[in-house]
Structures are given as C-alpha cells and as structure tokens.
Amino acid sequence: MRYAIFGDIHSNLEALEAVLADADAHGVGSYLCLGDIVGYNADPAACLETVRGLNGAVIKGNHDEYACESDDLTNMNDVAAAGMRWTRDQLNDEQKTWLRSLLLVKQMDGITVVHSSLDQPATWSYVLNRYDAIASFNFQVSNLCFHGHTHVPRVFVKNEQIQEIGDSHFSILPENQYFINVGSVGQPRDGDWRACYAIYDSESQEVVIRHVEYDLITCQHKIIACGLPRYLAERLALGK
Ligand code: ZN
C-alpha cells in the first residue's frame, strides 16, 4: 500500500488538488491527513470537504480547533486572528462539528499521526530540534509517526541515539523509529513555495518527501479578493 501523508493545508485548495493529483499519479491508495485543514487562505470549506471525502485518517490541528470554537483570539497575532475570524464565517455548523470531533492522535495500519508532538499534542508544542524530538519519542510506540505544525519537512530517527537525517527519500529500517515532519501543503515555510507532502510505501518500506507545483497565482488572487491580509498571499510565493 502507498500512503499519502499530508497536512497544514490551510485552506489552499489549489495546493491540495495538486498534491492529490500527484499522489494519484504515484499510485497512492490511502490517505493520512495531519490537520490544519483550515486557516490562513481562501478555501476552508472546499478543503474540508475534499479531505473528508478521501475517507482516510484525519486528525485535528490547532487551526482546526480555533475554527470550530467561539472563544476570542487573543493568543494569535493580528494577521492570524483576522484570517481565523473570516474562516469561522465560511464554515457551517455541521462542518465545525466535524472538526470538533477530530482526535489529536490516531493509529492506522501501525502508523501514528499527530499534528504537533506526541508528548504534548493538546498544547501544540513545536518540534524544532533534536531535544524536542527526544521528548516526543518517549511517547511513540510505533515505528513510524508522521507530524506537521512547523510547516518545515524534517526527519528524526531513533536507534541507539536520536539524530536528524537530511534525505528526502529514505528507507524505513525495522529496528529504528521515525518521527517525520511532512512539511506543509498550503503554506510551506522551508523556503520552497511548492506544496510539500510525503508518500510512504509499506511494501518497499520507503518514504519520499515530495514538492509539487500548484497554481499559486489563482490562490493568491483568491486570498486578496476575499479581503484576507495581503501578506498571506505574498508569503506563499516566498515559502515562508
Ligand atoms: Zn499549520
């Protein structure tokens, strides 16, 4: 089985559709979504319905949580809060109920998925370095765990010690554990504007981190046309 593992879509429908087309062209038969379906960009409802229609595993990201609650947004910066208020208005009650029902951590076919980290999934801690990865590995029982949240693809491996590998195509060894950040579909921050996700092949035991071009111009026009902060459109071109 080939799995597409993708997250941090952030209402970028053009990027999501490009990733799903790429996954389809590579024989993917199963989907794992790492959360943050909504937030920032212009198509929250369409992205939600597209992800829901895949019938794969889906977990909750922090933006999904903010979008289905009604509390104030004092913990967000102005740009993020403006985008989140707009996002809330685009989703109906049934869509918000579905977002609310999503779990923070899930297992599927022996693969663990979480948005932020396994040690603090509910407080959305960031895994930014080896020490953060060590904390998460303490709670990882499976060989493979995929996550997102930082919007930067990174691969941590635990064998006798814990290290980071820089490869975008690597083999899964049964004696190791892997904690893999698949980057972001809809708002990459690794300096590459293209949509980022991973394919895991359970037969060959290989993981590939893929970057996919999408219709950036249409996406940017939509963001500006619906009155979201212009910066949200500009940052997409920079991949940050
Ligand atoms: Zn995110």
Side-chain angles (χ1 to χ4, degrees), residues 8 10 36 151:
D8 295 288
H10 286 300
D36 273 7
H151 298 202

Side-chain angles (χ1 to χ4, degrees), residues 1-5 20 22-31 197-200:
M1 175 67 80
R2 281 194 184 156
Y3 299 84
I5 305 112
L20 295 179
D22 187 75
D24 192 43
H26 285 84
V28 162
S30 197
Y31 300 88
Y197 80 110
I199 293 177
Y200 164 56

Side-chain angles (χ1 to χ4, degrees), residues 8 10 35-36 40 62-63 115 149-151 184 189:
D8 295 288
H10 286 300
D36 273 7
Y40 293 124
N62 50 320
H63 284 255
H115 184 65
H149 196 39
T150 66
H151 298 202
S184 168
R189 296 178 193 160

Side-chain angles (χ1 to χ4, degrees), residues 5-17 19-20 32-44 46-48 50-52 54 57-59 61 63-64 98 115 148-149 151 182-188 195-197 214 219 223 236:
I5 305 112
F6 63 103
D8 295 288
I9 299 145
H10 286 300
S11 307
N12 185 335
L13 185 63
E14 287 70 31
L16 177 60
E17 287 179 338
V19 160
L20 295 179
L32 297 121
C33 176
L34 303 176
D36 273 7
I37 301 165
V38 301
Y40 293 124
N41 301 313
D43 281 305
C47 287
L48 186 152
T50 301
V51 169
R52 180 153 62 165
L54 294 170
V58 187
I59 48 150
H63 284 255
D64 305 320
W98 182 75
H115 184 65
H149 196 39
H151 298 202
V182 303
S184 168
V185 171
Q187 195 193 78
C196 190
Y197 80 110
Y214 69 94
C219 178
I223 291 166
L236 290 179

Side-chain angles (χ1 to χ4, degrees), residues 49-97:
E49 294 303 340
T50 301
V51 169
R52 180 153 62 165
L54 294 170
N55 288 318
V58 187
I59 48 150
K60 189 191 285 177
N62 50 320
H63 284 255
D64 305 320
E65 181 166 282
Y66 305 146
C68 66
E69 304 298 342
S70 55
D71 58 339
D72 60 18
L73 299 162
T74 45
N75 59 339
M76 280 188 166
N77 67 49
D78 290 349
V79 170
M84 186 46 66
R85 281 187 206 98
W86 182 87
T87 295
R88 285 175 172 174
D89 289 342
Q90 309 306 309
L91 299 171
N92 64 37
D93 288 346
E94 189 274 329
Q95 290 166 330
K96 288 179 186 170
T97 300

